[in-house]
Amino acid sequence: MQKNERWLHHSTNIIVGVSGLIYFYMLYLIEPTENNEFSVLNHPHQNLILNAHILAAPLLVFAVAYTAKSHILAKIKSHYKGPGRKSGLLLITLFIPMVMSAYIMQTTSNEGIKQVMVYIHNITSISWVLAYIIHQARMIRA
């Protein structure tokens, strides 16, 4: 992977991953402030973080597409067996359900489908962040 591709991947993963984890924390792990008990938000910056996540996510999709031929497909075609292969394959497997669940979650009007997409997106996204960290750690050690 070339330097500009690495920079693109790392920066988009950091922005999308960190904003997603912060939003998850704000939405599920903190209680609404007592002085604003009727608010639908648990934190005053919750919408800002969600907007940053949604606006940065297409850049991550672009980063993966940008490196698909030069890195992902090249490694698969060459039958690469070195460090990072398993975590790389895991990242490929997680990518489509992570992206599609996010898209469907934002566009569906059916609450049942939306709830399922939220669960799928949360599971695949947290797994993506962990797999990405493992993938990078294995490549650094190699």
Side-chain angles (χ1 to χ4, degrees), residues 10-130:
H10 295 329
S11 59
T12 56
N13 270 286
I14 289 168
I15 294 167
V16 175
V18 169
S19 63
L21 292 171
I22 292 171
Y23 182 72
F24 183 89
Y25 172 77
M26 288 177 171
L27 188 61
Y28 298 111
L29 302 177
I30 62 174
E31 296 292 323
T33 56
E34 289 182 22
N35 61 353
N36 203 2
E37 62 189 56
F38 298 109
S39 175
V40 294
L41 302 175
N42 292 350
H43 191 278
H45 296 120
Q46 190 170 321
N47 279 337
L48 177 68
I49 296 297
L50 177 61
N51 290 337
H53 184 70
I54 290 172
L55 291 173
L59 298 174
L60 177 60
V61 174
F62 173 77
V64 172
Y66 184 65
T67 58
K69 186 176 181 183
S70 65
H71 181 71
I72 299 167
L73 294 176
K75 296 284 186 179
I76 291 171
K77 286 181 181 179
S78 70
H79 301 288
Y80 177 76
K81 301 287 186 208
R85 179 172 174 82
K86 290 179 184 175
S87 57
L89 291 173
L90 178 59
L91 286 167
I92 293 167
T93 306
L94 291 169
F95 186 72
I96 297 297
M98 179 179 72
V99 172
M100 291 307 297
S101 62
Y103 178 77
I104 295 168
M105 180 173 45
Q106 293 179 52
T107 58
T108 188
S109 59
N110 183 307
E111 279 302 314
I113 292 173
K114 183 176 182 176
Q115 235 4 78
V116 170
M117 292 302 115
V118 167
Y119 288 125
I120 291 171
H121 187 69
N122 287 343
I123 290 166
T124 56
S125 298
I126 291 169
S127 300
W128 171 275
V129 169
L130 295 173

